[in-house]
Amino acid sequence: MAIRTAALLFRRRAVAAAAAAAAPKPLQQYFAGLSSAVGHVTLDDGGRIGGGEENKKRWVELPPFAPLDANAAARAIYRGDNGEGSRSNSTAIRWVRRCCPHLPASLVQKLFRLRKVKKNLVTADTSSTDSIAQQLRLRRVSAKDELVPGDILFLPDNIQESSVTEKKKFGNKNEIDFLRSLEIYKDRAIIVLNKPPGMPVQGGVGIKNSIDILAPMFEDGSSEAPRLVHRLDRDCSGVLVLGRTQLSTSIMHAIFREKTADALGDGTQQVLQRKYVALVIGRPRHPKGLLSAPLAKVVLQDGRSERLTVCAGPNTASVQDALTEYRVIESCPQGYTWLELFPRTGRKHQLRVHCAEVLGTPIVGDYKYGRQAHQNWTPLPMPQTINEEMLKKRKLPFGLALGGGSVAEQQPQLHLHCKQMILPDISAAMQQLQSSDADHNFSDLEKLSFVAPLPLHMQLSWRILMSIGK
């Protein structure tokens, strides 16, 4: 009776799973609730539920396979269509990697190489006098085996001992509180931050703390750390999006790529929008316009450093088309201009290069692309009307500082800030994609708008320029 009950329950679950695309969850979430997987045994021991106690082996059950093509899904979300073609086949190793992103790739490959990954197999036993009893067997699965909807993979339970990852340890609660204070928005798919100036987004040589290194601290009790969706320069501030799952991150990556492809194809989609605010030296000739200037990498004289520049000829290697809209917010009599910048494409240092080399108005504090303009830099006088509280300089966690860096300083900080980003509701889109309904309608998908206030040094520069202008 126990065998029959377990088998019938499995058959119902497998049929439902074939119709519904279940979302993958971090492996650690299954350890506590999957004690029901006890009793599955290897084929060497007969492979049936209900083997002898000496043959029983504990297994961790992954979610039923739900094929989903992140690129196709992103195109459907971006274009607002029905998502046709967003499902695709996948191999066993890809599904394990998607469900268990925290497991090292080498460990996953080793599991398959040692033949320790199993797949469910339902067989009929007609010896029963009542009805056909479905009995669950597990068989070995290779890394390149194609899965079909409803397939369930099993990993050895002791994998949890190998998959435990140490989160970064912090010396005091202030560091954790500071990171959490950066959050603007959070749902099941994404986390939106207001990145402070001076904090690197990615780790590298000489970088101890960056957003991607500190990302696990934005989650409580989750083995799956948030992932970067896009980049902001170290000294740039503003809206930064992280994906909370591998799937949401893949979809967001594809949406950013789709935006660039759409812009270069003279598209008019506005599903993903970004607005930056910048203070530049000088004044553009026109109050608004569209900058279309391809970018290319050049190696500096030291042979190690690189920078981007506007491409002068068609034969330059690694050329990338780049489009930026701009609009003048305020022109100041001191020779500065506040701009709104709308990047249509997402190229590295695109806004900084376009401002410096195309508009001829480098961004204040950009010593890489506006070095010459800063050689004769003269700080502006600090008006007495400025609140003294804004002038206080305070140390923040991770070596950051609050205060200073305005146009009244000898060395101002970069005045470039991602003030607003508009995104489709990825969480709602994922719910549709993972539902049993084959017809998805993304045309009515809600757009989410995120706004990050200007950093203190840019707020101070605005007040200084406005006070002097009066």
Side-chain angles (χ1 to χ4, degrees), residues 229-380:
V229 168
H230 62 111
R231 310 290 186 267
L232 288 178
D233 293 343
R234 178 173 186 160
D235 294 322
C236 181
S237 57
V239 179
L240 181 71
V241 180
L242 305 177
R244 296 190 68 186
T245 68
Q246 188 177 37
L247 177 58
S248 63
T249 304
S250 297
I251 291 177
M252 285 302 304
H253 278 155
I255 287 178
F256 272 79
R257 290 194 300 269
E258 194 71 19
K259 172 182 173 62
T260 292
D262 182 68
L264 297 178
D266 296 326
T268 57
Q269 295 285 352
Q270 298 293 321
V271 173
L272 172 63
Q273 301 176 52
R274 288 175 292 169
K275 178 171 71 175
Y276 287 73
V277 174
L279 177 64
V280 300
I281 302 172
R283 180 179 302 176
R285 293 183 179 180
H286 305 285
K288 62 181 180 178
L290 175 63
L291 308 178
S292 177
L295 305 179
K297 287 184 180 180
V298 294
V299 180
L300 301 184
Q301 293 180 351
D302 59 11
R304 295 176 297 177
S305 303
E306 291 181 346
R307 59 170 289 164
L308 296 174
T309 185
V310 172
C311 178
N315 296 326
T316 307
S318 304
V319 175
Q320 291 185 318
D321 291 322
L323 298 173
T324 302
E325 288 185 65
Y326 76 91
R327 185 179 72 86
V328 172
I329 301 174
E330 187 78 30
S331 293
C332 307
Q334 301 83 4
Y336 300 95
T337 304
W338 289 97
L339 298 179
E340 282 183 339
L341 303 169
F342 307 89
R344 288 193 179 182
T345 55
R347 309 303 190 192
K348 180 180 179 180
H349 295 175
Q350 172 180 322
L351 300 182
R352 296 165 62 181
V353 177
H354 277 179
C355 284
E357 298 189 15
V358 182
L359 286 180
T361 56
I363 298 174
V364 171
D366 188 352
Y367 304 102
K368 186 179 185 73
Y369 297 102
R371 177 180 298 179
Q372 186 173 358
H374 287 83
Q375 286 181 347
N376 298 320
W377 175 264
T378 301
L380 294 179

Side-chain angles (χ1 to χ4, degrees), residues 38-69:
V38 176
H40 301 323
V41 297
T42 64
L43 290 182
D44 297 335
D45 297 320
R48 291 190 179 187
I49 295 179
E53 290 297 327
E54 69 277 9
N55 292 329
K56 286 186 178 181
K57 183 175 182 179
R58 299 180 64 90
W59 294 93
V60 173
E61 176 183 336
L62 298 188
F65 171 64
L68 183 62
D69 186 331

Side-chain angles (χ1 to χ4, degrees), residues 121-182:
L121 179 65
V122 178
T123 61
D125 184 354
T126 56
S127 63
S128 172
T129 57
D130 297 74
S131 61
I132 297 178
Q134 297 290 333
Q135 295 193 352
L136 177 65
R137 296 169 60 92
L138 299 182
R139 69 175 178 85
R140 302 182 183 98
V141 60
S142 67
K144 295 184 179 180
D145 282 356
E146 295 283 344
L147 302 181
V148 297
D151 278 349
I152 299 176
L153 298 183
F154 294 83
L155 304 181
D157 182 61
N158 59 9
I159 191 68
Q160 59 184 316
E161 300 173 4
S162 304
S163 64
V164 175
T165 55
E166 290 293 328
K167 289 189 176 182
K168 183 175 178 63
K169 304 298 182 182
F170 299 105
N172 54 70
K173 185 174 180 294
N174 290 336
E175 294 176 330
I176 300 176
D177 291 341
F178 173 75
L179 289 175
R180 298 292 175 83
S181 71
L182 304 179

Side-chain angles (χ1 to χ4, degrees), residues 412-442:
Q413 295 184 59
L414 183 68
H415 282 55
L416 179 63
H417 176 76
C418 183
K419 184 176 182 180
Q420 183 181 24
M421 184 178 295
I422 298 176
L423 301 173
D425 189 341
I426 300 300
S427 180
M430 288 176 60
Q431 281 186 308
Q432 286 196 46
L433 290 168
Q434 295 165 349
S435 70
S436 58
D437 188 0
D439 296 324
H440 307 304
N441 181 12
F442 298 120

